[in-house]
Amino acid sequence: MADTKKASDVFIDCLEAEGCEYIFGVPGEENLDLLDSLGKSDKIKLILTRHEQGAGFMAATYGRHTGKTGVCLATLGPGATNFVTSAAYAQLGGMPVLMITGQKPIKKSKQGRFQIVDIVSLMEPVTKYSIQIAAGDNIPSRVREAYRLAEEEKPGATLIELPEDIAEEQASDFKPLPKSVARRPSAEAKAVRTAVKAIEAAKSPVLVIGAGANRKLCGRMLEQFVEKTGIPFLTTQMGKGVIDERHPKFLGCAALSAGDFVHRAVEASDCIINVGHDVIEKPPFFMHDNGVQVIHVSTKTAEVDPVYFPQTEVIGDIANGIWQMKEDITPNRSWNFDKLLAYHQAELDHTKSLSDDTRFPIFPPHLVQQVRDCMPHDGIICLDNGVYKIWFARGFTAYLPNTVLLDNALATMGAGLPSAMMSAMLYPDRKVMAICGDGGFMMNSQEMETAVRLGLNMTILILRDDAYGMIRWKQANMGFDDYGLTYGNPDFVKYAESYGAAGHRVESSEHLTEVLAHCRDTPGVHLIDCPVDYTENDQILNHDIKELSAKL
């Protein structure tokens, strides 16, 4: 008689074969067989969180940093529905994740329809692959397929539902399937030649670096391309750090929708080389039928819409495509980028005048500079979502890839703390800071307990304005009355201390400097309550910048 294992044992064996290190989640009754099997594993560690959304955000950030699939676990019904936002976060943001959910027995009913939701159908719009296991022998192929699809460009979310009665049944086919070796195709030579000819013929080409370039770690090739050609570059928000932003050819980050200094530089270009563009972020320029050439360099063909219809596409491995273009190109000696670079210098001058403002409550541009001055070269900041994300995207100089984790895809609140926790777990020797508004922080603040329990070293910087500041800014900009967006907050210092973390409250600009340094250099979980002055957001971001840049 053939050896047998229960299906949940096979599932854990398959996860081990895929190199799974952690499973994040909140198990339930329907996961108990899987939990039993996981308890026997010496390769996979269970990270118990306080909400399924936090578990999903942590798994997604694991995938974002490593390129390997992060795994998270929830029970049926409400546990599984709590994964929806995390699935969308991973799917839109290009982060490989496998979500495992439980379900009542499918061969017989013990409790009628209690807690039963069709999670597989619910998750289909926000995943690449969503499936129920109906027989234990199918587990090896289903797990292998979920991993393959999660990691294949564009990475995203997958879901496997493991019903209670399937998890406990005996499975005869218990060998994990071997991982395949799949290399991305190289860009086609004629496409490369067409792109190079267009660049050489241009008067003022510019390079735009997007999310796909950050995912595929092709910064080295892109920097060599910039060094050889002298062509300046800008980034989208999720392209920050692909090339060190202290580079003399850096033009800025497209954090605002239009009218910023960086947008004027793009408008002055007649050839845009768009690398790793993801339509999720919206292009930092709008195409018109005006003769400007747009070259799309990515792993996938362009999704055409009314404002994005590139004339040339170089499709394949991004780093290889850039390398081929670099090898072929001859820089045009008549290129002159002084005007484009002058726009960035004007932005730096304007930002400097703002960042020197030491008022209290803290002025956002000053806060950004304080954080940059405090964080080491390889430090990681993880931004939640709020108006401060624009200030950090514009003003925080990124030195390395994946050191500024922000979400400009789903742009969900509540992800900042869990993503910083995952970063601190993966890189215990690096300094990690979560930067959250008071609104976003409170959406998953219960994960403070998880961070303390795990013994993480990290800082949570809360920008407190006692309001949903991003929407309040939009409300003011659109001419609406100030209404419906303010609230009260707990005493954040006492709140931190109640979890066993250290709490700090900023009292001045000088005090902020001291507190940031103390938290950086002192082990443990720290929370900083930092009051911020958002009164000039609308004036600066919507009026001053556009007027100043238009004069250049």
Side-chain angles (χ1 to χ4, degrees):
M1 183 176 172
D3 290 338
T4 59
K5 288 187 175 188
K6 68 177 180 180
S8 60
D9 293 334
V10 175
F11 206 114
I12 296 300
D13 287 348
C14 292
L15 293 178
E16 287 184 351
E18 295 289 348
C20 175
E21 297 178 271
Y22 303 105
I23 295 179
F24 308 90
V26 183
E29 178 188 346
E30 289 70 28
N31 307 121
L32 289 178
D33 276 288
L34 192 68
L35 201 63
D36 176 59
S37 301
L38 177 58
K40 301 170 197 167
S41 173
D42 58 0
K43 295 180 180 176
I44 304 173
K45 185 177 180 183
L46 174 68
I47 306 295
L48 199 65
T49 61
R50 303 309 299 267
H51 193 288
E52 293 84 357
Q53 194 180 95
F57 289 147
M58 290 184 78
T61 305
Y62 176 91
R64 184 176 192 172
H65 274 302
T66 66
K68 299 186 294 184
T69 302
V71 181
C72 49
L73 174 70
T75 189
L76 82 172
T81 58
N82 279 345
F83 266 164
V84 172
T85 300
S86 305
Y89 173 78
Q91 182 79 346
L92 272 63
M95 308 174 205
V97 166
L98 168 59
M99 298 183 156
I100 305 164
T101 55
Q103 188 53 277
K104 293 290 183 192
I106 57 174
K107 295 181 179 178
K108 61 187 178 190
S109 172
K110 295 191 297 186
Q111 296 175 302
R113 301 293 295 172
F114 177 62
Q115 285 196 306
I116 291 180
V117 176
D118 184 353
I119 295 298
V120 172
S121 297
L122 178 71
M123 286 293 205
E124 280 175 351
V126 289
T127 58
K128 297 177 76 176
Y129 181 73
S130 181
I131 196 163
Q132 180 189 78
I133 300 289
D137 286 355
N138 289 338
I139 287 172
S141 61
R142 297 294 183 260
V143 172
R144 177 82 281 274
E145 181 68 348
Y147 264 82
R148 184 185 73 81
L149 286 170
E151 293 175 12
E152 183 180 272
E153 272 293 321
K154 176 185 172 183
T158 58
L159 176 129
I160 296 178
E161 181 180 85
L162 182 63
E164 190 178 358
D165 54 347
I166 303 301
E168 68 182 13
E169 77 176 16
Q170 297 298 300
S172 57
D173 184 4
F174 53 79
K175 286 186 179 178
L177 293 176
K179 297 171 76 169
S180 59
V181 177
R183 298 293 303 163
R184 286 179 298 278
S186 297
E188 199 271 330
K190 287 183 181 176
V192 171
R193 183 89 272 272
T194 302
V196 167
K197 284 168 67 178
I199 298 166
E200 289 176 346
K203 291 178 179 152
S204 189
V206 71
L207 198 64
V208 179
I209 300 173
N214 218 341
R215 280 200 300 274
K216 290 301 154 198
L217 301 177
C218 50
R220 189 164 173 269
M221 279 301 138
L222 280 163
E223 185 154 0
Q224 288 180 17
F225 182 85
V226 171
E227 291 292 341
K228 179 178 178 180
T229 62
I231 295 172
F233 66 96
L234 62 133
T235 73
T236 66
Q237 291 185 50
M238 293 177 76
K240 279 185 74 67
V242 173
I243 301 178
D244 189 326
E245 292 176 2
R246 293 170 295 183
H247 195 288
K249 298 294 185 180
F250 179 55
L251 295 176
C253 172
L256 294 174
S257 294
D260 202 346
F261 296 95
V262 71
H263 295 103
R264 308 292 185 196
V266 177
E267 288 164 10
S269 171
D270 62 343
C271 181
I272 299 166
I273 310 151
N274 208 20
V275 182
H277 172 64
D278 191 328
V279 74
I280 285 295
E281 281 205 276
K282 68 180 181 287
F285 57 87
F286 292 150
M287 290 182 67
H288 305 282
D289 189 14
N290 59 2
V292 173
Q293 288 286 306
V294 174
I295 299 165
H296 177 87
V297 184
S298 194
T299 52
K300 294 245 171 135
T301 52
E303 290 181 51
V304 173
D305 65 21
V307 296
Y308 191 65
F309 40 91
Q311 298 94 337
T312 302
E313 302 192 40
V314 178
I315 306 303
D317 180 80
I318 296 174
N320 175 268
I322 293 295
W323 175 79
Q324 287 192 57
M325 291 164 65
K326 180 203 73 164
E327 291 295 296
D328 186 22
I329 199 164
T330 301
N332 185 331
R333 299 197 187 282
S334 64
W335 285 338
N336 187 323
F337 300 114
D338 291 350
K339 184 176 181 184
L340 273 62
L341 293 166
Y343 282 114
H344 183 53
Q345 187 57 52
E347 179 185 337
L348 291 175
D349 294 343
H350 178 244
T351 300
K352 179 76 167 66
S353 69
L354 300 174
S355 63
D356 288 343
D357 188 326
T358 58
R359 74 179 75 171
F360 186 81
I362 306 294
F363 195 37
H366 180 67
L367 179 96
V368 171
Q369 191 57 52
Q370 285 258 35
V371 172
R372 177 67 277 178
D373 291 345
C374 166
M375 291 297 278
H377 179 265
D378 64 349
I380 299 169
I381 63 169
C382 302
L383 301 175
D384 206 279
N385 268 280
V387 69
Y388 53 87
K389 186 177 80 170
I390 294 173
W391 288 111
F392 273 90
R394 290 184 81 255
F396 187 91
T397 306
Y399 301 159
L400 295 168
N402 282 330
T403 53
V404 179
L405 296 196
L406 54 77
D407 167 24
N408 197 37
L410 184 65
T412 179
M413 297 169 76
L417 174 57
S419 65
M421 289 163 58
M422 186 70 254
S423 300
M425 282 179 67
L426 274 171
Y427 305 110
D429 297 329
R430 295 167 70 176
K431 305 299 181 183
V432 176
M433 185 184 295
I435 299 170
C436 310
D438 43 12
F441 171 73
M442 289 302 291
M443 289 187 181
N444 275 310
S445 65
Q446 69 279 353
E447 299 305 343
M448 288 277 289
E449 188 278 325
T450 311
V452 171
R453 173 167 31 95
L454 292 172
L456 300 180
N457 297 317
M458 58 181 290
T459 300
I460 303 142
L461 176 62
I462 298 178
L463 281 55
R464 179 168 57 81
D465 67 328
D466 301 310
Y468 290 117
M470 181 78 157
I471 309 307
R472 205 177 183 196
W473 168 55
K474 297 280 187 183
Q475 191 177 53
N477 177 240
M478 295 171 73
F480 292 113
D481 290 341
D482 185 5
Y483 170 74
L485 294 167
T486 60
Y487 46 69
N489 273 309
D491 181 325
F492 283 124
V493 172
K494 290 180 180 176
Y495 188 72
E497 290 170 349
S498 72
Y499 284 116
H504 312 266
R505 183 169 291 112
V506 173
E507 295 169 358
S508 67
S509 166
E510 295 78 12
H511 188 224
L512 174 61
T513 311
E514 295 168 15
V515 169
L516 287 172
H518 169 79
C519 294
R520 178 195 63 205
D521 299 335
T522 309
V525 178
H526 296 266
L527 181 149
I528 302 172
D529 174 358
C530 181
V532 289
D533 180 356
Y534 279 162
T535 55
E536 292 184 51
N537 279 349
D538 181 50
Q539 181 62 40
I540 296 169
L541 296 175
N542 287 323
H543 302 285
D544 293 356
I545 286 171
K546 291 174 182 177
E547 289 166 14
L548 283 167
S549 65
K551 292 175 182 175
L552 294 173

